[in-house]
């Protein structure tokens, strides 16, 4: 595996993305970190703070909005040198209108978590601009966390048509619950990563859940009651019951996924069954779907239709 010296992180101005940038900057050998953000002012504020905290001027801003593929393509077109690793961190529950359709015909929640990252990787791969590792921020929601109200995503057939219905929202309808949809879109993207690992064996494709992480912005746009439960009540009580850990712990999972070769390409690592925190385990031991190559290919083929 080629040494990782340069890393691009999406959603890098806050939460897990920003903390991952900080931790990576403290590692020997890392020379440049691209902060991929959609807002110039927030990106500049994050860069300035990171330079102060780490004592290193190694952060470069890349403007892109993962819900708008044209901005992703433009950002990649402006790159002039290869990047060793990419952390596909941006995500969440899709804003105030998670089920609204984008210009590409997918829901906002799908665009935020999946489509923009597919476009980013496709563009980088087509220009031979990734040399080592792609890490996708998956979630235990992809195999369900019933204790947190996230049931296991139920695939009826795992066909391309079913994955297409996940992307365009037809599986859930216009009033679909974003907390449940979130698990399906994370599942779809994790399966895509498995297909990519087989298609591009010279690059590592690792799906890594940061776990239940307190203080992140991913659930800021939930309806009021759910937002209060997850961000305020949950932020106090869930850590006591082992259901949330710190942003530092979540970001460290990203860093470990990039640098520890024990995390194998095409695999999905997350917490043990029933929990979003604790020791990492290969999720195929919980749900064999993650290693099913036909389902992986069906997910990938369906989602590529929108890219």
């Amino acid at each position: 595996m080629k040494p990782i010296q340069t890393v691009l992180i999406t959603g890098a101005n806050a939460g897990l993305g920003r903390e991952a940038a900080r931790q990576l900057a403290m590692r020997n050998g890392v020379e440049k970190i691209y902060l991929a953000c959609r807002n110039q002012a927030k990106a500049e504020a994050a860069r300035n703070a990171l330079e102060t905290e780490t004592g290193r001027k190694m952060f470069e801003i890349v403007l892109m909005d993962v819900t708008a593929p044209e901005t992703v393509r433009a950002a990649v077109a402006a790159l002039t040198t290869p990047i060793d690793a990419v952390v596909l961190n941006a995500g969440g529950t899709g804003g105030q209108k998670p089920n609204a359709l984008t210009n590409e015909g997918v829901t906002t929640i799908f665009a935020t978590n999946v489509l923009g990252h597919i476009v980013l990787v496709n563009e980088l791969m087509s220009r031979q601009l990734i040399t080592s590792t792609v890490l996708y921020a998956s979630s235990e929601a992809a195999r369900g966390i019933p204790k947190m109200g996230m049931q296991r995503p139920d695939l009826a057939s795992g066909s391309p048509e079913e994955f297409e219905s996940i992307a365009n929202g037809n599986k859930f309808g216009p009033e679909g619950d974003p907390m449940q949809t979130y698990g399906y879109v994370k599942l779809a993207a994790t399966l895509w990563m498995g297909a990519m690992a087989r298609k591009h064996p010279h690059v590592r494709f690792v799906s890594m859940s940061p776990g239940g992480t307190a203080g992140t912005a991913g659930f800021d746009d939930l309806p009021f009651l759910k937002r209060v439960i997850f961000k305020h009540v949950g932020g106090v009580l869930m850590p006591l019951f082992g259901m949330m850990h710190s942003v530092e712990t979540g970001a460290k999972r990203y860093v470990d996924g990039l640098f520890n070769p024990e995390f194998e390409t095409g695999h999905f690592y997350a917490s043990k069954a029933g929990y979003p925190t604790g020791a990492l385990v290969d999720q195929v031991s919980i749900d064999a779907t993650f290693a099913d190559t036909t389902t992986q290919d069906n997910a990938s083929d369906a989602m590529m239709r929108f890219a």
Side-chain angles (χ1 to χ4, degrees), residues 145-175:
I145 321 171
K147 293 178 182 179
M148 295 182 71
M150 295 179 173
Q151 301 305 314
R152 177 180 180 274
D154 181 22
L155 293 177
S157 64
S159 66
E161 291 72 26
E162 183 171 17
F163 285 108
E164 188 172 341
S165 75
I166 291 171
N168 62 26
N170 287 345
K171 185 175 180 69
F172 317 105
E175 302 302 322

Side-chain angles (χ1 to χ4, degrees), residues 10-11 16 38 66-67 88-99 107-115 117 136-139 141 150 177-187 189 210 216-223 230-231 254:
T10 65
L16 285 160
R38 61 182 178 180
V66 293
T67 67
L88 307 176
N89 163 73
T93 52
Q96 296 294 333
K97 297 181 178 180
N99 300 313
T107 60
T108 301
I109 189 171
F110 187 87
T112 302
N113 289 279
V114 186
L115 185 60
H117 288 143
Y136 177 69
S138 190
S139 170
M150 295 179 173
D177 181 353
M179 291 298 290
Q180 292 303 127
T181 304
Y182 180 77
Y184 281 91
V185 299
K186 287 295 187 181
L187 170 59
T216 62
F219 296 101
D220 282 350
D221 292 323
L222 284 171
F230 269 84
K231 292 205 48 89
Y254 292 168

